[in-house]
Amino acid sequence: MTTPPPVIAHLLSNRWNSAIAEYAVHTARALDLAGFPQVFVALRGSAGARRALAAGISVVEVERFSLMQLPDILRAVRGEELKAVFVYGGPETFISKWIKGSRPGIKVIRFRGDNRDASQRSNTMLQQLSMGHIDMLLAPSKFIAGRLDSRARVVEPGIDIERIHRVGSADPGPGARADCVILGRLDPVKGHDLFFRVFSRMLASKDRAPYCLHVVGEPANLSLVHLEHYAREAGLTIGRDITFTAERVSDLSSLLSSACAGIICSTGSEIIGRVAQEFLVCGTPVVVSGAGSLAEIPLPGDGLDYGALRSPEIEGALWKFLEASRLESREQRSARALAAAKRFSLETMSHALAGILDELGVKPVSARF
């Protein structure tokens, strides 16, 4: 079967299995649902290339995004049907100037969702020069969109519900839930050390506390040895108050569905907030630090944002929240999972992206929803 010429091109210079790479792949998947033929141009051997290919998206791999590679990139996206280009980082934003200039009418949409977008000033002279050809800015949250200009539009990331979903049989049920799960790479920015102290103070304030902190993640800029040291310094007993799984978990849905609560204690970098979303689509309420976009994640009644609290209020609020979470019915959790799945589904993302492209005058070929 002949592949139709691309209406949309995605350029991704991010090599790792990051939240940005996942957002890019899910954008392509969502636009596929909306009926847009696409091509996904990514670095050779990158996680984004692998994931897009596995999702059935047409993929072209390049060595780098530079002027030397421009002929290869232009060949990958060339065609009279090309109407829009999504870019997700600096190198491909630079290259997109030449793609836009290759034929009138091509629109460029720039995703903004990394740490610099949360920490650096926007609308500087340099940004205006480098982003002057951008037609629209795509942000994963109001937090980021509010730091940009009038071109910004918010599209929350979609989640692959087939991969991450509630597993009812994994939920031990009311009263039996004990694990409070921190999921994510082992990195200082994820705030493990600070939350260990909060959790320890909460346990110390109660005669009998049924909770255990379960830390799950692969070492990045922090080793398991360091985390164990921080736990002991905080007064937590390893094996009783806290446990560690320093490796990738194969059945992520069951882990998230079984937790009393999901803990996202980051001090920074939570721009996309995919872990909080994953807990919610598994029916599990979340405790968040309020960093980055996290304040926008909890659905009403499904989250505790402790960012504005200080000790001892934070420990009291955490205890009250965990007690309510531990006693929730399975029906409550199923209802939460359904509501979150609707909000964060690829279909919802598809409708939002189709609306943005319609605003730019770019129409689908044949929608699947």
Side-chain angles (χ1 to χ4, degrees):
M1 185 174 64
T2 303
T3 302
V7 173
I8 306 292
H10 301 267
L11 308 185
L12 176 67
S13 65
N14 191 298
R15 182 174 295 280
W16 315 113
N17 191 27
S18 65
I20 291 175
E22 181 169 273
Y23 189 98
V25 172
H26 284 186
T27 296
R29 293 183 63 184
L31 287 172
D32 183 53
L33 290 175
F36 290 93
Q38 302 165 87
V39 62
F40 197 95
V41 185
L43 294 177
R44 192 175 306 284
S46 65
R50 292 194 303 272
R51 293 185 64 167
L53 191 62
I57 305 298
S58 177
V59 174
V60 174
E61 298 183 67
V62 296
E63 296 300 329
R64 62 186 64 85
F65 287 91
S66 68
L67 287 180
M68 290 185 64
Q69 295 288 127
L70 182 59
D72 294 333
I73 296 170
L74 284 173
R75 276 193 295 272
V77 304
R78 186 168 52 195
E80 293 302 314
E81 299 301 320
L82 184 67
K83 297 295 189 298
V85 179
F86 284 75
V87 292
Y88 300 90
E92 60 267 41
T93 298
F94 177 71
I95 289 296
S96 68
K97 291 182 180 181
W98 277 267
I99 298 175
K100 182 169 184 171
S102 67
R103 197 179 70 254
I106 294 176
K107 306 297 184 181
V108 179
I109 300 97
R110 169 67 155 99
F111 174 72
R112 300 301 300 266
D114 65 17
N115 294 338
R116 289 168 294 184
D117 296 321
S119 59
Q120 295 180 1
R121 284 184 57 215
S122 60
N123 298 323
T124 63
M125 180 77 70
L126 181 60
Q127 281 189 337
Q128 290 173 11
L129 289 172
S130 64
M131 305 266 292
H133 67 292
I134 302 297
D135 295 285
M136 193 165 282
L137 299 169
L138 187 60
S141 66
K142 295 176 183 176
F143 168 70
I144 292 297
R147 301 176 62 83
L148 304 174
D149 58 38
S150 60
R151 293 172 293 176
R153 303 292 184 274
V154 177
V155 175
E156 290 185 315
I159 287 181
D160 183 352
I161 304 301
E162 292 183 3
R163 187 178 72 88
I164 303 294
H165 54 268
R166 176 162 170 76
V167 180
S169 59
D171 180 1
R177 304 180 185 105
D179 278 0
C180 303
V181 176
I182 300 178
L183 173 68
R185 71 180 186 273
L186 307 185
D187 188 301
V189 78
K190 294 303 182 180
H192 297 85
D193 184 17
L194 294 175
F195 193 79
F196 289 176
R197 298 178 213 170
V198 170
F199 194 76
S200 180
R201 289 195 298 267
M202 184 199 74
L203 294 181
S205 69
K206 305 296 177 182
D207 292 333
R208 298 187 63 179
Y211 304 108
C212 177
L213 198 58
H214 184 186
V215 180
V216 182
E218 296 179 289
N221 299 313
L222 198 62
S223 70
L224 178 58
V225 172
H226 282 101
L227 276 182
E228 289 177 338
H229 172 72
Y230 294 152
R232 292 188 185 97
E233 275 201 330
L236 297 173
T237 300
I238 296 173
R240 185 190 67 191
D241 304 323
I242 188 169
T243 60
F244 296 93
T245 301
E247 59 187 21
R248 188 175 294 273
V249 176
S250 58
D251 189 357
L252 196 56
S253 291
S254 290
L255 172 72
L256 303 187
S257 299
S258 68
C260 176
I263 312 294
I264 299 90
C265 48
S266 301
T267 57
S269 90
E270 288 294 341
I271 308 306
I272 296 177
R274 61 174 174 171
V275 174
Q277 296 167 345
E278 289 172 348
F279 273 111
L280 289 171
V281 299
C282 290
T284 302
V286 291
V287 176
V288 302
S289 65
S293 305
L294 285 175
E296 300 173 37
I297 295 298
L299 303 176
D302 299 329
L304 167 67
D305 183 347
Y306 65 84
L309 302 178
R310 296 294 179 268
S311 185
E313 289 82 8
I314 186 172
E315 292 83 16
L318 179 60
W319 175 264
K320 183 178 179 180
F321 185 80
L322 292 181
E323 284 289 273
S325 302
R326 181 169 64 92
L327 298 174
E328 282 187 323
S329 69
R330 288 192 172 94
E331 289 74 20
Q332 283 177 282
R333 296 215 159 190
S334 293
R336 178 181 295 115
L338 286 172
K342 181 178 179 181
R343 174 177 168 180
F344 300 123
S345 70
L346 289 175
E347 287 78 10
T348 298
M349 190 182 192
S350 179
H351 283 284
L353 288 167
I356 283 176
L357 289 173
D358 184 68
E359 190 178 345
L360 292 173
V362 180
K363 306 295 183 181
V365 174
S366 59
R368 297 187 186 178
F369 51 72

